[in-house]
Amino acid sequence: MSALGGPKQTAGVQPPTAIGIVLSIILIVAALGLAYYLVQMAGVIAVVGIIIGGVLIAFGVHFVPVGGAPAAMGQSPGIATGVAMLAAGAGLAGLFGGAWAAPFGFAVALAGGAVGGGLLMAITCTMVNVIYIFGMGIPAASGKVDKDPITGDTFPEYKSQGTEGHGLPFISWVGGVVGGALGGLGGTLIYLELLDVYQAQLPVLLNTTVEQIAPVAISLAGVFAIAMFLINAVLAAYNITGTIEGPHDPKFKRFPRAIIAAAVASAVAGIFAIGLLELVGVF
Amino acid sequence: MEEIVFGIGITALAGALATVAGAAEDTESDIGSQGDPNSQVQLAPQMGYIHRIFNKAVAGEPPAYGLWVALGAGLAWAFMAMQINPILAIVLGSALAVFVQGVYATTAYLGRTASLAKFGQPVYIDILKSMTTVTMAHAFVAIFTTVAMCHLMISALGHPFPLPLLGLVWGIALGAAGSATGNPFYGKERQYQEQKFGAGVPISASGNIVRYAEAGQRNSLDNGFFSAKLGGPASGICFGLIVFFELWRTVVFEELNIWGPIIVGVVVILIFAIIDRYIEVWARKNFGPYTTPEEASS
Amino acid sequence: MSVKIEVGAGGIPHNQILIYGLVGSLVLIYLTYLNTYFQTEYFAFFGGLAAVVALLWGTDTIKHLCSYGLGTGVPSAGMIALGSGVVAALFGATTGPFAPIVTIIIAAIIGAVAGLMANAVVRMDIPVMVVSLIELAIVGAMTVLGLAAMACGTFEFLGMITGTVTFLGFTMLTYETSVIGGGIIAVIFMLGAIAIQHPFNACLGPGEQQDRTLMLAAECGFLSMIPVAIISFAFIGAYAALIALVISIIGWLYTYQQYIELSKRDAYAWLDAQPIMEPEEGGA
């Protein structure tokens, strides 16, 4: 993505405002109430599922090590691309696996989605290190911490002059895989919840069988899952102002803010996605 | 059993198509300086380094490829709905998607360069004429192979998503894999090949990209052939492995146990963790510390 | 790295563009309702024109929002716009003739929530954030609704999920060959997401000029209409789709040519096969 200097990169964590918190609680409660009013208990379960899915996505984005434009020059550690879109790539690959496994049940589909996202990030992160090491001769070094929390490697002496570190240290690799897995899990969860709702409602509404309506239900659930994924991923990207090294980065501590924001945004978008079919044929 | 053998064949074919797609995608984006290395091409004139590099900032690679592939898939789907043969439909759809890509490439170059008038960066029309066509050719390869791969996943392996939705999913994944793997190689090794090898580009050198070639002035085709040496193939392997393992674990192990694909997926992730750790340690041992720890701590 | 987002000053005030964009896209999208009224499909192209007008407005909004520096790329603003927009547009579509108005209201709600979350919880503290995300969500929703209406001739949900298939001379009703069932909505989603962010992303820099950026926005809109017109051959009559295709190509050729003229006007120099012109006094 374009490298655009953020406003307050180094500022400490500013807690959410009181109005923000109150508003968040009101909106979530309102969404749950509306869901109960529209689709009864199934609706509440679906909204809760969507909120959890959105929270997992936003939390997952914080794990993905993304260095943005400086990473492409070996000036800062992480993967050289935009955080929202890299997370989307992993999450959607997970969605691919999860949707494929959907007929085998909830648990298998969710696990399939998580593994799919994790697999994409595992391969991508490994290839990033292959390029750094065998293509550019640069060892991995973090700029934010002196010691890898997992392996105990020290970094300052491997950091080349005039940079903030480079490559993907092992902790960032693990963060990438965890982030991809959480993204895949969250995306698949949203997809499955919506699919359940549509598969229950559409045949009744249009007086057809589940098989006939499957393409519409799958497409609607898929498009909404992608849309909510992107909303949550972008909100999380705003929270970390573009770049992060992984779970060891001080910016990681900002995650509670993104979780609240994602929960509310998912609840509001989710209630419209669930209530979608209630108005068909009314007008 | 026969079904599994058929599935493995499709998996291998899809993996091969994905490999070609990844290689073409990275070479295309490097010729156009799309993605993160774009920031340096944009920065150079502001630092007084006028250049003749193609600067096509359509969007980041993942969203851009999300569109190209989804568009190719959507058009192919529409042609198939009009009863056109699938292969012809995919070719036509990809060709039309490449037309859109080419137009976006030209408007991006003109827009960015015209906005740099203050720094004396002229618009070189010959860049548009010669490079856009080359990026379009590479983009066609990437789009066609990815759409064909998605079509295989639906028609041969029975994935429930419709073709355009699958195109969107794999297009974004293609852009993510290609930009992650290929960008540093172009950004550091090519744009800043005059800087020290084996070290990151010092922040003070930002914008001082290489503008002259072995003979004459460097243009983006020179960057394309450089990327095709390592960055492109590596991106291809990356995306190929992703697609292959994603399909292979499902096709082969789903028959044994519904949890089979998941266990195999976790095992594959662990294997990649070992590979990654091995090369990381190898690099630390062989490239050695730049400074002794005492100095660095100051 | 240190590329600052700079925008040119002057031009048409944003509020004026906002009103023209909102009213224009609403009127144009309602013109596709003539299809239902006259039982034809020839008015489908108005949906595409609604998307063009909405994109013009969205481009100006993105310019205002991104001049604050979001810390992440311009494209992400397009993604959140269309992500909110597609939910609102499909929800709105279920309300029949009221679809465009309901879509605007729902999009405003989702956009407002996203904006409030970004400002009050994530603490972006950008003054125009809430208003901008409301505008962007509406633009995204109108783009999706407009292009979807262009593809299948109506902005009503039932029209979007049903299609016909002619097989051996028999015409059958099917849910698979439809804008939503076939996943065409995903193509429309991405067409909008790139078209909304591209004009500003492509033109940003110290020499940015509003007329050039907006001309590019119109060009992106017409360019997005071309593939949708081709796809619409699968859903609506050949003549109706042909009219849409011809209109999109004419609009695109005109705006593209105008954009090149404006770029020529703003460029430092317009050279063909010339060497690098080194600055004379060592750096600008």
Short mmCIF file of all heavy atoms in Angstrom, two decimals, chain A residues 119-182:
data_model
loop_
_atom_site.label_atom_id
_atom_site.label_comp_id
_atom_site.label_asym_id
_atom_site.label_seq_id
_atom_site.Cartn_x
_atom_site.Cartn_y
_atom_site.Cartn_z
N LEU A 119 -2.20 -21.77 7.22
CA LEU A 119 -1.32 -22.36 6.21
C LEU A 119 -0.84 -21.30 5.24
O LEU A 119 0.35 -21.24 4.89
CB LEU A 119 -2.11 -23.45 5.47
CG LEU A 119 -1.33 -24.39 4.57
CD1 LEU A 119 -0.30 -25.15 5.39
CD2 LEU A 119 -2.26 -25.37 3.89
N LEU A 120 -1.75 -20.42 4.79
CA LEU A 120 -1.33 -19.37 3.86
C LEU A 120 -0.25 -18.51 4.49
O LEU A 120 0.77 -18.22 3.88
CB LEU A 120 -2.53 -18.50 3.46
CG LEU A 120 -2.20 -17.38 2.47
CD1 LEU A 120 -3.28 -17.26 1.41
CD2 LEU A 120 -1.99 -16.05 3.11
N MET A 121 -0.46 -18.12 5.77
CA MET A 121 0.52 -17.26 6.40
C MET A 121 1.82 -18.00 6.66
O MET A 121 2.91 -17.41 6.56
CB MET A 121 -0.03 -16.70 7.72
CG MET A 121 -1.08 -15.65 7.55
SD MET A 121 -0.60 -14.24 6.53
CE MET A 121 0.71 -13.58 7.50
N ALA A 122 1.75 -19.30 6.99
CA ALA A 122 2.98 -20.06 7.25
C ALA A 122 3.84 -20.08 6.00
O ALA A 122 5.06 -19.83 6.04
CB ALA A 122 2.63 -21.48 7.69
N ILE A 123 3.21 -20.38 4.84
CA ILE A 123 3.98 -20.47 3.60
C ILE A 123 4.50 -19.08 3.20
O ILE A 123 5.66 -18.91 2.85
CB ILE A 123 3.12 -21.10 2.50
CG1 ILE A 123 2.79 -22.55 2.87
CG2 ILE A 123 3.84 -21.05 1.17
CD1 ILE A 123 1.79 -23.21 1.96
N THR A 124 3.61 -18.08 3.30
CA THR A 124 4.03 -16.73 2.89
C THR A 124 5.18 -16.23 3.76
O THR A 124 6.18 -15.72 3.25
CB THR A 124 2.83 -15.76 2.99
OG1 THR A 124 1.77 -16.29 2.22
CG2 THR A 124 3.19 -14.39 2.47
N CYS A 125 5.05 -16.38 5.09
CA CYS A 125 6.11 -15.88 5.98
C CYS A 125 7.43 -16.61 5.72
O CYS A 125 8.50 -16.00 5.74
CB CYS A 125 5.72 -16.05 7.44
SG CYS A 125 4.37 -15.00 7.93
N THR A 126 7.35 -17.92 5.46
CA THR A 126 8.58 -18.65 5.18
C THR A 126 9.23 -18.15 3.90
O THR A 126 10.44 -17.92 3.84
CB THR A 126 8.29 -20.16 5.08
OG1 THR A 126 7.59 -20.56 6.25
CG2 THR A 126 9.57 -20.95 4.95
N MET A 127 8.40 -17.91 2.87
CA MET A 127 8.96 -17.44 1.60
C MET A 127 9.53 -16.02 1.75
O MET A 127 10.51 -15.67 1.08
CB MET A 127 7.90 -17.47 0.50
CG MET A 127 7.55 -18.87 0.01
SD MET A 127 8.96 -19.86 -0.49
CE MET A 127 9.50 -18.99 -1.93
N VAL A 128 8.92 -15.20 2.61
CA VAL A 128 9.48 -13.87 2.85
C VAL A 128 10.89 -14.00 3.41
O VAL A 128 11.82 -13.33 2.97
CB VAL A 128 8.58 -13.08 3.82
CG1 VAL A 128 9.28 -11.83 4.31
CG2 VAL A 128 7.27 -12.72 3.16
N ASN A 129 11.06 -14.91 4.36
CA ASN A 129 12.40 -15.09 4.92
C ASN A 129 13.35 -15.68 3.90
O ASN A 129 14.54 -15.34 3.89
CB ASN A 129 12.33 -16.00 6.16
CG ASN A 129 12.23 -15.18 7.43
OD1 ASN A 129 12.52 -13.98 7.41
ND2 ASN A 129 11.81 -15.80 8.51
N VAL A 130 12.86 -16.56 3.03
CA VAL A 130 13.72 -17.11 1.97
C VAL A 130 14.25 -15.98 1.11
O VAL A 130 15.45 -15.91 0.78
CB VAL A 130 12.94 -18.15 1.13
CG1 VAL A 130 13.69 -18.48 -0.14
CG2 VAL A 130 12.68 -19.40 1.94
N ILE A 131 13.37 -15.05 0.73
CA ILE A 131 13.80 -13.92 -0.12
C ILE A 131 14.81 -13.05 0.62
O ILE A 131 15.85 -12.68 0.09
CB ILE A 131 12.57 -13.10 -0.55
CG1 ILE A 131 11.82 -13.82 -1.66
CG2 ILE A 131 12.99 -11.71 -1.01
CD1 ILE A 131 12.44 -13.71 -3.01
N TYR A 132 14.50 -12.73 1.87
CA TYR A 132 15.41 -11.87 2.63
C TYR A 132 16.78 -12.51 2.77
O TYR A 132 17.81 -11.86 2.63
CB TYR A 132 14.84 -11.59 4.03
CG TYR A 132 14.02 -10.32 4.10
CD1 TYR A 132 12.64 -10.37 4.12
CD2 TYR A 132 14.65 -9.09 4.12
CE1 TYR A 132 11.89 -9.21 4.17
CE2 TYR A 132 13.91 -7.92 4.17
CZ TYR A 132 12.52 -7.99 4.20
OH TYR A 132 11.80 -6.84 4.24
N ILE A 133 16.79 -13.82 3.05
CA ILE A 133 18.06 -14.47 3.37
C ILE A 133 18.81 -14.87 2.12
O ILE A 133 19.98 -14.55 1.95
CB ILE A 133 17.80 -15.68 4.30
CG1 ILE A 133 17.38 -15.15 5.67
CG2 ILE A 133 19.03 -16.55 4.41
CD1 ILE A 133 16.76 -16.18 6.56
N PHE A 134 18.13 -15.55 1.19
CA PHE A 134 18.86 -16.05 0.02
C PHE A 134 18.85 -15.06 -1.14
O PHE A 134 19.68 -15.16 -2.03
CB PHE A 134 18.28 -17.40 -0.41
CG PHE A 134 18.39 -18.44 0.65
CD1 PHE A 134 17.27 -18.98 1.26
CD2 PHE A 134 19.64 -18.88 1.07
CE1 PHE A 134 17.38 -19.92 2.26
CE2 PHE A 134 19.76 -19.82 2.07
CZ PHE A 134 18.63 -20.35 2.67
N GLY A 135 17.91 -14.14 -1.15
CA GLY A 135 17.89 -13.17 -2.24
C GLY A 135 18.65 -11.90 -1.88
O GLY A 135 19.26 -11.26 -2.73
N MET A 136 18.60 -11.50 -0.63
CA MET A 136 19.18 -10.22 -0.26
C MET A 136 20.27 -10.34 0.79
O MET A 136 20.90 -9.34 1.13
CB MET A 136 18.07 -9.29 0.27
CG MET A 136 17.03 -8.99 -0.79
SD MET A 136 15.38 -8.80 -0.10
CE MET A 136 15.57 -7.27 0.76
N GLY A 137 20.48 -11.54 1.31
CA GLY A 137 21.55 -11.73 2.29
C GLY A 137 21.32 -10.99 3.59
O GLY A 137 22.28 -10.51 4.21
N ILE A 138 20.09 -10.85 4.00
CA ILE A 138 19.79 -10.08 5.21
C ILE A 138 19.21 -11.00 6.28
O ILE A 138 18.20 -11.65 6.05
CB ILE A 138 18.77 -8.96 4.90
CG1 ILE A 138 19.33 -8.03 3.83
CG2 ILE A 138 18.43 -8.18 6.16
CD1 ILE A 138 18.36 -6.96 3.41
N PRO A 139 19.83 -11.10 7.46
CA PRO A 139 19.24 -11.90 8.54
C PRO A 139 18.09 -11.14 9.20
O PRO A 139 18.00 -9.92 9.07
CB PRO A 139 20.39 -12.09 9.51
CG PRO A 139 21.25 -10.90 9.30
CD PRO A 139 21.09 -10.49 7.87
N ALA A 140 17.23 -11.86 9.92
CA ALA A 140 16.08 -11.23 10.54
C ALA A 140 16.49 -10.50 11.81
O ALA A 140 17.32 -10.98 12.58
CB ALA A 140 15.03 -12.28 10.85
N ALA A 141 15.92 -9.32 12.02
CA ALA A 141 16.18 -8.58 13.25
C ALA A 141 14.98 -7.71 13.54
O ALA A 141 14.50 -7.01 12.66
CB ALA A 141 17.43 -7.72 13.10
N SER A 142 14.53 -7.78 14.78
CA SER A 142 13.39 -6.95 15.17
C SER A 142 13.88 -5.57 15.58
O SER A 142 14.99 -5.43 16.10
CB SER A 142 12.63 -7.61 16.32
OG SER A 142 11.87 -6.65 17.00
N GLY A 143 13.06 -4.56 15.35
CA GLY A 143 13.45 -3.23 15.76
C GLY A 143 12.86 -2.83 17.09
O GLY A 143 13.30 -1.89 17.74
N LYS A 144 11.81 -3.54 17.53
CA LYS A 144 11.08 -3.10 18.72
C LYS A 144 11.58 -3.77 19.99
O LYS A 144 11.42 -3.22 21.06
CB LYS A 144 9.58 -3.38 18.53
CG LYS A 144 8.96 -2.64 17.36
CD LYS A 144 8.64 -1.21 17.72
CE LYS A 144 8.19 -0.38 16.54
NZ LYS A 144 6.90 -0.76 16.03
N VAL A 145 12.11 -4.98 19.88
CA VAL A 145 12.59 -5.67 21.08
C VAL A 145 14.03 -6.13 20.84
O VAL A 145 14.46 -6.27 19.69
CB VAL A 145 11.71 -6.89 21.46
CG1 VAL A 145 10.34 -6.45 21.90
CG2 VAL A 145 11.62 -7.87 20.31
N ASP A 146 14.78 -6.34 21.90
CA ASP A 146 16.16 -6.77 21.75
C ASP A 146 16.30 -8.28 21.71
O ASP A 146 17.31 -8.81 21.29
CB ASP A 146 17.00 -6.23 22.93
CG ASP A 146 17.21 -4.74 22.79
OD1 ASP A 146 16.98 -4.24 21.67
OD2 ASP A 146 17.56 -4.09 23.78
N LYS A 147 15.28 -8.96 22.18
CA LYS A 147 15.39 -10.41 22.32
C LYS A 147 14.10 -11.06 21.84
O LYS A 147 13.00 -10.58 22.17
CB LYS A 147 15.62 -10.75 23.79
CG LYS A 147 16.71 -11.76 24.00
CD LYS A 147 16.94 -11.96 25.48
CE LYS A 147 18.02 -13.00 25.64
NZ LYS A 147 18.38 -13.18 27.01
N ASP A 148 14.24 -12.13 21.07
CA ASP A 148 13.04 -12.84 20.62
C ASP A 148 12.42 -13.55 21.81
O ASP A 148 13.08 -14.37 22.46
CB ASP A 148 13.44 -13.86 19.54
CG ASP A 148 12.24 -14.43 18.83
OD1 ASP A 148 11.24 -14.74 19.50
OD2 ASP A 148 12.31 -14.58 17.60
N PRO A 149 11.15 -13.27 22.14
CA PRO A 149 10.55 -13.90 23.34
C PRO A 149 10.47 -15.42 23.23
O PRO A 149 10.39 -16.09 24.26
CB PRO A 149 9.15 -13.30 23.39
CG PRO A 149 9.17 -12.14 22.48
CD PRO A 149 10.25 -12.36 21.48
N ILE A 150 10.47 -15.99 22.03
CA ILE A 150 10.34 -17.44 21.90
C ILE A 150 11.70 -18.11 21.87
O ILE A 150 11.99 -19.03 22.63
CB ILE A 150 9.54 -17.81 20.64
CG1 ILE A 150 8.11 -17.29 20.75
CG2 ILE A 150 9.55 -19.33 20.43
CD1 ILE A 150 7.25 -17.63 19.57
N THR A 151 12.58 -17.65 20.98
CA THR A 151 13.84 -18.36 20.78
C THR A 151 14.97 -17.78 21.61
O THR A 151 16.02 -18.41 21.76
CB THR A 151 14.25 -18.31 19.31
OG1 THR A 151 14.37 -16.93 18.94
CG2 THR A 151 13.23 -18.99 18.42
N GLY A 152 14.82 -16.55 22.10
CA GLY A 152 15.88 -15.94 22.88
C GLY A 152 17.00 -15.35 22.03
O GLY A 152 18.03 -14.93 22.56
N ASP A 153 16.83 -15.30 20.71
CA ASP A 153 17.84 -14.68 19.85
C ASP A 153 17.96 -13.19 20.18
O ASP A 153 16.96 -12.54 20.47
CB ASP A 153 17.43 -14.80 18.38
CG ASP A 153 17.59 -16.21 17.86
OD1 ASP A 153 18.25 -17.00 18.55
OD2 ASP A 153 17.07 -16.50 16.77
N THR A 154 19.17 -12.69 20.09
CA THR A 154 19.32 -11.23 20.29
C THR A 154 19.37 -10.56 18.93
O THR A 154 19.82 -11.13 17.95
CB THR A 154 20.60 -10.93 21.06
OG1 THR A 154 21.68 -11.59 20.40
CG2 THR A 154 20.50 -11.39 22.49
N PHE A 155 18.89 -9.31 18.89
CA PHE A 155 18.74 -8.66 17.60
C PHE A 155 19.67 -7.47 17.34
O PHE A 155 20.04 -7.25 16.19
CB PHE A 155 17.30 -8.19 17.41
CG PHE A 155 16.33 -9.33 17.29
CD1 PHE A 155 15.18 -9.36 18.04
CD2 PHE A 155 16.59 -10.37 16.41
CE1 PHE A 155 14.29 -10.41 17.93
CE2 PHE A 155 15.71 -11.43 16.30
CZ PHE A 155 14.55 -11.45 17.06
N PRO A 156 20.02 -6.64 18.33
CA PRO A 156 20.68 -5.38 17.98
C PRO A 156 21.90 -5.56 17.09
O PRO A 156 22.12 -4.76 16.19
CB PRO A 156 21.05 -4.80 19.35
CG PRO A 156 20.12 -5.42 20.30
CD PRO A 156 19.83 -6.79 19.76
N GLU A 157 22.67 -6.62 17.32
CA GLU A 157 23.90 -6.74 16.53
C GLU A 157 23.64 -7.22 15.09
O GLU A 157 24.52 -7.20 14.26
CB GLU A 157 24.88 -7.68 17.24
CG GLU A 157 24.45 -9.12 17.34
CD GLU A 157 23.66 -9.42 18.61
OE1 GLU A 157 23.01 -8.47 19.13
OE2 GLU A 157 23.67 -10.57 19.08
N TYR A 158 22.43 -7.65 14.82
CA TYR A 158 22.11 -8.08 13.46
C TYR A 158 21.37 -7.01 12.67
O TYR A 158 21.01 -7.20 11.54
CB TYR A 158 21.27 -9.37 13.49
CG TYR A 158 22.07 -10.57 13.87
CD1 TYR A 158 22.21 -10.98 15.19
CD2 TYR A 158 22.74 -11.29 12.89
CE1 TYR A 158 22.96 -12.06 15.54
CE2 TYR A 158 23.52 -12.39 13.22
CZ TYR A 158 23.62 -12.77 14.55
OH TYR A 158 24.39 -13.84 14.88
N LYS A 159 21.13 -5.89 13.33
CA LYS A 159 20.39 -4.82 12.68
C LYS A 159 21.37 -4.00 11.86
O LYS A 159 22.37 -3.54 12.38
CB LYS A 159 19.73 -3.97 13.77
CG LYS A 159 18.57 -3.19 13.30
CD LYS A 159 17.59 -2.92 14.42
CE LYS A 159 18.17 -2.03 15.50
NZ LYS A 159 17.17 -1.65 16.47
N SER A 160 21.11 -3.84 10.55
CA SER A 160 22.07 -3.08 9.76
C SER A 160 21.88 -1.59 10.00
O SER A 160 20.84 -1.13 10.43
CB SER A 160 21.97 -3.44 8.28
OG SER A 160 20.64 -3.46 7.86
N GLN A 161 22.95 -0.86 9.67
CA GLN A 161 23.02 0.55 10.04
C GLN A 161 21.92 1.38 9.37
O GLN A 161 21.63 1.20 8.19
CB GLN A 161 24.38 1.09 9.61
CG GLN A 161 24.91 2.07 10.58
CD GLN A 161 26.32 2.44 10.22
OE1 GLN A 161 26.82 2.13 9.15
NE2 GLN A 161 26.99 3.11 11.15
N GLY A 162 21.34 2.25 10.13
CA GLY A 162 20.38 3.19 9.57
C GLY A 162 19.02 2.59 9.29
O GLY A 162 18.24 3.15 8.54
N THR A 163 18.72 1.42 9.85
CA THR A 163 17.40 0.82 9.66
C THR A 163 16.77 0.53 11.01
O THR A 163 17.45 0.59 12.05
CB THR A 163 17.47 -0.50 8.88
OG1 THR A 163 18.12 -1.47 9.69
CG2 THR A 163 18.25 -0.34 7.58
N GLU A 164 15.51 0.19 10.97
CA GLU A 164 14.80 -0.19 12.20
C GLU A 164 14.69 -1.70 12.34
O GLU A 164 13.81 -2.20 13.01
CB GLU A 164 13.38 0.41 12.18
CG GLU A 164 13.34 1.91 12.24
CD GLU A 164 11.99 2.46 11.83
OE1 GLU A 164 11.04 1.66 11.73
OE2 GLU A 164 11.90 3.66 11.60
N GLY A 165 15.57 -2.42 11.68
CA GLY A 165 15.46 -3.88 11.68
C GLY A 165 14.93 -4.35 10.33
O GLY A 165 14.59 -3.53 9.48
N HIS A 166 14.87 -5.65 10.12
CA HIS A 166 14.41 -6.18 8.84
C HIS A 166 14.12 -7.67 8.96
O HIS A 166 14.53 -8.33 9.90
CB HIS A 166 15.46 -5.96 7.76
CG HIS A 166 16.87 -5.90 8.28
ND1 HIS A 166 17.45 -6.95 8.92
CD2 HIS A 166 17.76 -4.88 8.31
CE1 HIS A 166 18.67 -6.60 9.30
NE2 HIS A 166 18.88 -5.35 8.95
N GLY A 167 13.42 -8.19 7.99
CA GLY A 167 13.13 -9.62 7.96
C GLY A 167 12.02 -9.98 8.94
O GLY A 167 11.37 -9.13 9.53
N LEU A 168 11.81 -11.28 9.06
CA LEU A 168 10.77 -11.77 9.96
C LEU A 168 11.40 -12.64 11.03
O LEU A 168 11.71 -13.80 10.79
CB LEU A 168 9.76 -12.63 9.19
CG LEU A 168 8.67 -11.94 8.40
CD1 LEU A 168 7.81 -12.98 7.74
CD2 LEU A 168 7.85 -11.07 9.30
N PRO A 169 11.62 -12.11 12.23
CA PRO A 169 12.11 -12.97 13.32
C PRO A 169 11.06 -14.05 13.64
O PRO A 169 9.90 -13.92 13.24
CB PRO A 169 12.28 -12.02 14.49
CG PRO A 169 12.14 -10.66 13.94
CD PRO A 169 11.41 -10.75 12.65
N PHE A 170 11.46 -15.06 14.36
CA PHE A 170 10.57 -16.21 14.56
C PHE A 170 9.27 -15.80 15.26
O PHE A 170 8.20 -16.31 14.93
CB PHE A 170 11.28 -17.31 15.35
CG PHE A 170 10.58 -18.63 15.28
CD1 PHE A 170 10.51 -19.31 14.07
CD2 PHE A 170 9.98 -19.18 16.38
CE1 PHE A 170 9.84 -20.52 13.98
CE2 PHE A 170 9.30 -20.40 16.31
CZ PHE A 170 9.24 -21.06 15.10
N ILE A 171 9.36 -14.86 16.19
CA ILE A 171 8.16 -14.43 16.90
C ILE A 171 7.16 -13.81 15.92
O ILE A 171 5.94 -14.03 16.02
CB ILE A 171 8.52 -13.44 18.04
CG1 ILE A 171 7.27 -12.89 18.73
CG2 ILE A 171 9.35 -12.28 17.57
CD1 ILE A 171 6.61 -13.85 19.65
N SER A 172 7.67 -13.09 14.92
CA SER A 172 6.78 -12.52 13.91
C SER A 172 6.18 -13.62 13.05
O SER A 172 5.01 -13.53 12.64
CB SER A 172 7.53 -11.53 13.02
OG SER A 172 8.01 -10.46 13.75
N TRP A 173 6.98 -14.64 12.77
CA TRP A 173 6.46 -15.77 11.97
C TRP A 173 5.29 -16.41 12.72
O TRP A 173 4.23 -16.63 12.14
CB TRP A 173 7.59 -16.79 11.76
CG TRP A 173 7.26 -17.89 10.78
CD1 TRP A 173 7.57 -17.89 9.45
CD2 TRP A 173 6.56 -19.10 11.07
NE1 TRP A 173 7.10 -19.05 8.89
CE2 TRP A 173 6.47 -19.81 9.83
CE3 TRP A 173 6.00 -19.68 12.20
CZ2 TRP A 173 5.86 -21.06 9.73
CZ3 TRP A 173 5.37 -20.91 12.09
CH2 TRP A 173 5.31 -21.58 10.87
N VAL A 174 5.51 -16.67 14.01
CA VAL A 174 4.43 -17.28 14.80
C VAL A 174 3.22 -16.35 14.83
O VAL A 174 2.08 -16.79 14.67
CB VAL A 174 4.92 -17.58 16.24
CG1 VAL A 174 3.78 -18.07 17.10
CG2 VAL A 174 6.03 -18.62 16.19
N GLY A 175 3.48 -15.05 15.01
CA GLY A 175 2.37 -14.09 15.01
C GLY A 175 1.59 -14.14 13.71
O GLY A 175 0.35 -14.12 13.71
N GLY A 176 2.31 -14.22 12.60
CA GLY A 176 1.63 -14.28 11.31
C GLY A 176 0.71 -15.48 11.22
O GLY A 176 -0.44 -15.36 10.78
N VAL A 177 1.22 -16.65 11.65
CA VAL A 177 0.39 -17.86 11.56
C VAL A 177 -0.82 -17.75 12.47
O VAL A 177 -1.96 -18.07 12.07
CB VAL A 177 1.23 -19.11 11.89
CG1 VAL A 177 0.36 -20.34 11.93
CG2 VAL A 177 2.33 -19.28 10.87
N VAL A 178 -0.61 -17.26 13.69
CA VAL A 178 -1.74 -17.12 14.62
C VAL A 178 -2.75 -16.13 14.05
O VAL A 178 -3.97 -16.38 14.07
CB VAL A 178 -1.24 -16.66 16.01
CG1 VAL A 178 -2.40 -16.33 16.91
CG2 VAL A 178 -0.37 -17.73 16.63
N GLY A 179 -2.26 -15.02 13.51
CA GLY A 179 -3.15 -14.03 12.93
C GLY A 179 -3.95 -14.59 11.77
O GLY A 179 -5.16 -14.38 11.67
N GLY A 180 -3.27 -15.32 10.89
CA GLY A 180 -3.97 -15.93 9.76
C GLY A 180 -5.03 -16.91 10.23
O GLY A 180 -6.15 -16.94 9.71
N ALA A 181 -4.68 -17.71 11.25
CA ALA A 181 -5.63 -18.70 11.75
C ALA A 181 -6.84 -18.02 12.37
O ALA A 181 -7.99 -18.42 12.14
CB ALA A 181 -4.94 -19.62 12.77
N LEU A 182 -6.61 -16.95 13.16
CA LEU A 182 -7.73 -16.25 13.78
C LEU A 182 -8.61 -15.61 12.71
O LEU A 182 -9.84 -15.64 12.80
CB LEU A 182 -7.22 -15.18 14.74
CG LEU A 182 -6.61 -15.69 16.05
CD1 LEU A 182 -6.03 -14.53 16.83
CD2 LEU A 182 -7.66 -16.41 16.88
#
